[in-house]
Amino acid sequence: MKDGKKLAAILPAYNAEKTLERTIADIPAGLFDDLILVDDASRDGTVALARKLGLHVVVHPRNRGYGGNQKTCYRTALERGADVVVMIHPDYQYDPTLSPEMVAPILAGQADCVLGSRMLGAALKGRMPVWKYIGNKFLTGVENLAFGVRYSEYHTGYRAYRKEVLAALPLELNSDNFVFDQEIIAQMVANGFRIAEIPIPTRYFGEASSVNFKTSVRYGLETLLVLVRYVLHRRLGFKSKQFERRTGPWPPAPPSAA
């Protein structure tokens, strides 16, 4: 299946001690050549457990946020020779057993990125809060209009990428917060990368991380601002380097730990 490709799973972690071992246990044996956990200054035993489980561990001395964590994840994966990178949240909110389905379209040459869509499944049956479901559908509809494409969900944390996508996009210009996920999609669409979707189940439970209403509202507004910048770039001639292919050596230097 892998056809000589090196597959890496990245796990952006923050206080994931309670769910990490269960997540790792569900990753199909032999699929990944590298398991990388980036700890974003957790206050529990995430780092010690990850090392005990044999993961390659990178520790942020201070919290850099969800987007900042992903930047380190992708940089580390490419430095270690990954050809395909899958993001698996260590809070067990996304099903690790579906990793083969996530990478299959990429390995078959049919996609550059694969998104695991809860909206193709039964999101509400998986206990997604109604207000999150409505917000997700609304933002996805607006994004489809802005991007001129049609996908079922952009707000999933279950994603797989070809290394060429991660190397080509100026990820260092993206936010260190949750809106990073929407910025990278806008960058892919702007540069013609192929995005595929697979249905995934929805999991909401006590130990899974979930942002509150206030953070979700901020995320929604920031997503709309991304769309404004995208439309200005693609349709109105106000070019932004964020939506162009990156220049300079890859990977860029990591941010200062200060």
Side-chain angles (χ1 to χ4, degrees):
M1 175 183 174
K2 291 159 59 171
D3 194 26
K5 302 292 186 182
K6 182 174 181 178
L7 273 57
I10 58 162
L11 296 96
Y14 179 68
N15 294 339
E17 180 184 13
K18 292 182 179 179
T19 53
L20 176 59
E21 191 165 8
R22 187 169 22 161
T23 300
I24 298 301
D26 274 5
I27 295 176
L31 177 64
F32 293 106
D33 304 284
D34 207 1
L35 297 175
I36 301 165
L37 182 139
V38 175
D39 181 80
D40 205 22
S42 291
R43 294 171 291 178
D44 62 3
T46 297
V47 171
L49 178 58
R51 288 173 174 158
K52 179 182 177 181
L53 294 172
L55 310 185
H56 178 79
V57 179
V58 178
V59 180
H60 286 170
R62 61 177 178 82
N63 188 279
R64 293 183 183 158
Y66 176 62
N69 192 313
Q70 284 192 66
K71 292 175 187 179
T72 300
C73 284
Y74 298 135
R75 179 169 52 247
T76 303
L78 295 196
E79 286 175 342
R80 291 170 61 84
D83 295 298
V84 179
V85 180
V86 181
M87 179 165 64
I88 300 176
H89 285 211
D91 66 354
Y92 206 61
Q93 192 173 36
Y94 298 98
D95 187 354
T97 66
L98 296 177
S99 299
E101 286 82 355
M102 291 291 293
V103 301
I106 295 176
L107 295 176
Q110 299 168 350
D112 302 305
C113 168
V114 177
L115 304 177
S117 172
R118 297 166 294 181
M119 297 301 162
L120 289 175
L124 291 176
K125 289 184 178 180
R127 300 179 65 184
M128 177 183 284
V130 173
W131 64 269
K132 286 196 173 186
Y133 179 86
I134 294 172
N136 190 316
K137 295 288 283 186
F138 169 75
L139 288 175
T140 295
V142 175
E143 286 172 283
N144 278 332
L145 289 173
F147 294 146
V149 294
R150 188 170 183 82
Y151 294 107
S152 66
E153 182 185 12
Y154 295 96
H155 308 283
T156 173
Y158 206 0
R159 300 167 176 228
Y161 300 97
R162 289 175 63 231
K163 68 176 182 181
E164 289 81 3
V165 174
L166 301 173
L169 301 180
L171 304 183
E172 66 275 14
L173 299 181
N174 291 355
S175 170
D176 286 341
N177 296 320
F178 290 104
V179 78
F180 175 96
D181 277 352
Q182 304 316 306
E183 290 175 318
I184 193 172
I185 288 180
Q187 290 171 321
M188 286 191 292
V189 174
N191 287 281
F193 287 111
R194 301 165 299 166
I195 301 173
E197 294 182 290
I198 69 163
I200 62 170
T202 304
R203 290 176 172 172
Y204 277 86
F205 56 97
E207 294 173 343
S209 62
S210 182
V211 298
N212 58 33
F213 181 77
K214 180 179 179 180
T215 302
S216 294
V217 169
R218 176 183 173 183
Y219 165 79
L221 294 174
E222 290 177 342
T223 296
L224 296 176
L225 288 175
V226 171
L227 300 183
V228 170
R229 297 200 308 271
Y230 174 87
V231 170
L232 289 173
H233 172 82
R234 285 300 301 269
R235 301 181 185 177
L236 300 178
F238 295 92
K239 297 299 182 183
S240 169
K241 289 185 178 180
Q242 185 182 27
F243 302 120
E244 297 175 349
R245 294 192 179 229
R246 73 181 319 279
T247 59
W250 176 263
S256 170

